[in-house]
Amino acid sequence: MPAALLVLGVVRTGGTLVLFYTLISHVGPAHAALAFYLSPAFAVVLGVVLSQERLTFSTVVGLAAIVIGAALAGRSQEPTAL
């Protein structure tokens, strides 16, 4: 079991870091950081699909707020002059 944990930790962490730094090089650090806002959505989807957790109304509303906030934060706009 410890070997499996070590492999999962090294492979998954290493793979995640490679993907994240690749994303940074393609879209920039500000937009790449928005990926972290979407991790709760993946956690809920995986929990519902793999663990048969209940999907409640408040969970859906919370996820919608997170996704909308990430979409708004990810929009690129020209700075306005004051």
Side-chain angles (χ1 to χ4, degrees):
M1 174 126 155
L5 291 176
L6 181 66
V7 169
L8 283 173
V10 170
V11 172
R12 288 294 169 200
T13 302
T16 301
L17 288 174
V18 168
L19 286 173
F20 184 61
Y21 288 122
T22 303
L23 184 62
I24 288 173
S25 70
H26 287 289
V27 299
H31 282 92
L34 294 174
F36 292 114
Y37 289 123
L38 299 177
S39 61
F42 286 105
V44 168
V45 169
L46 290 175
V48 168
V49 172
L50 299 178
S51 298
Q52 287 78 37
E53 294 178 3
R54 289 185 333 120
L55 184 64
T56 63
F57 177 74
S58 60
T59 303
V60 173
V61 170
L63 285 176
I66 290 170
V67 171
I68 290 169
L72 290 173
R75 293 189 319 176
S76 56
Q77 295 180 354
E78 295 294 324
T80 57
L82 295 176

